[in-house]
Amino acid sequence: MLPGKIKIWFTILLVIISNSGILFAQVHDNIICKFTQTDSSYTFKGSFNIKANPECLLEITFKYAHVRALAPDAKEVLLIGEGSNWNQISYIYQEFIFFRNKTIWHRTLDKENKRVDFTLMSSENNTAVMPQMISSSGYYQIKQQEEYLIVEYYQQCILTEESITKLYLGRAKKDAIKFIHKLSEYAETYCRNKHQKIIN
C-alpha cells in the first residue's frame, strides 16, 4: 500500500488527468501559471503582482504600440481598426519558410472593471497540415490585492485535430509561459511606480 501522502497525491493526479486532460502548473518568482490541454484544446492562466498604476497596466495590454512590442517573434503586427474602447489587430507568424498563420483579434477595453477582453475574429494557415484555430478568446484583468496589483492573463483555444496538433499544443504551452514572463518584465520596466494617468 502507498504511504498516506503519496497515495493522496497519486489520487489527485488521477483526478486531474481524468477530468482536465494534461495539466501543467508552475510557480516561478512572482509568476503563477497553469496550462491545461486536451487532444485539441487548451486553456492558459497566468498572473503576477506589481506595484504600478492600473491605468498604465491597462494601456500596455490594450494599446497597439505595446501589443506590438509584446510580440517580437511575430513577422507582422498591424492595427487594422480602432475606436475609443476597442481595436482590431492582425498578427502574422511564420516558422521557417513552411508554416504561416495570420490571425485577426478584436480587443475591448473596460476601464471601469480594469479589464481587456480579446476574441479571435479569423485565422488562416498557408497549409492544411497545421491545426486550424476554431475559436479562441481571453482577457487581461487588473485586480487590487492590498498594496499590490494582480495582473491576470487568460486564454482558451479550440483547434482542429491534425497530425501535428499535439506538437502545436506543446509549442503553445512554451509560448504562453514565455509571454507571461515577458509581460511581467515589460510591466516592471514601463509601469512600476508610475502614478500619472495615461489612458485618454
Side-chain angles (χ1 to χ4, degrees):
M1 181 177 290
L2 291 171
K5 288 185 178 179
I6 296 177
K7 186 174 181 180
I8 290 170
W9 281 110
F10 184 74
T11 303
I12 292 171
L13 179 62
L14 288 178
V15 171
I16 288 172
I17 292 174
S18 62
N19 291 337
S20 304
I22 300 172
L23 174 67
F24 170 85
Q26 183 181 69
V27 179
H28 182 265
D29 296 331
N30 189 35
I31 296 171
I32 300 172
C33 55
K34 182 173 72 173
F35 187 93
T36 309
Q37 72 180 69
T38 66
D39 289 340
S40 60
S41 68
Y42 71 85
T43 61
F44 176 80
K45 188 173 184 179
S47 65
F48 59 89
N49 60 57
I50 185 173
K51 288 184 178 180
N53 187 302
E55 295 195 18
C56 180
L57 295 170
L58 284 175
E59 178 187 2
I60 67 171
T61 57
F62 176 71
K63 289 199 170 182
Y64 166 68
H66 299 293
V67 172
R68 183 177 180 180
L70 285 165
D73 296 332
K75 183 177 181 180
E76 181 180 273
V77 183
L78 294 177
L79 178 66
I80 58 177
E82 66 178 337
S84 60
N85 68 335
W86 65 272
N87 59 37
Q88 287 189 355
I89 297 175
S90 70
Y91 296 77
I92 293 178
Y93 283 91
Q94 184 165 329
E95 291 292 332
F96 309 109
I97 60 172
F98 308 108
F99 304 120
R100 183 175 182 271
N101 169 257
K102 179 180 180 180
T103 55
I104 297 176
W105 300 83
H106 184 85
R107 306 163 67 88
T108 305
L109 171 66
D110 182 347
K111 290 184 182 180
E112 183 177 352
N113 292 306
K114 297 181 177 59
R115 181 178 169 114
V116 174
D117 289 278
F118 56 87
T119 304
L120 178 69
M121 304 298 292
S122 66
S123 178
E124 299 175 5
N125 297 333
N126 68 335
T127 172
V129 175
M130 294 175 65
Q132 182 70 34
M133 295 177 71
I134 298 172
S135 67
S136 185
S137 61
Y139 62 82
Y140 299 87
Q141 180 74 61
I142 314 300
K143 301 177 179 178
Q144 187 76 45
Q145 187 177 80
E146 297 178 351
E147 75 271 26
Y148 288 94
L149 292 174
I150 304 298
V151 180
E152 186 176 283
Y153 168 73
Y154 171 84
Q155 183 181 13
Q156 64 81 27
C157 183
I158 300 174
L159 306 162
T160 57
E161 293 192 44
E162 310 294 343
S163 59
I164 64 169
T165 297
K166 288 187 179 180
L167 292 174
Y168 181 93
L169 289 170
R171 177 62 182 270
K173 180 176 78 173
K174 292 179 182 178
D175 287 347
I177 295 168
K178 179 181 176 181
F179 176 75
I180 193 66
H181 280 81
K182 182 169 184 60
L183 179 61
S184 175
E185 292 169 1
Y186 192 90
E188 286 283 344
T189 300
Y190 192 83
C191 292
R192 177 172 281 276
N193 298 324
K194 284 197 172 185
H195 301 291
Q196 71 273 27
K197 293 189 174 182
I198 297 172
I199 295 179
N200 296 323

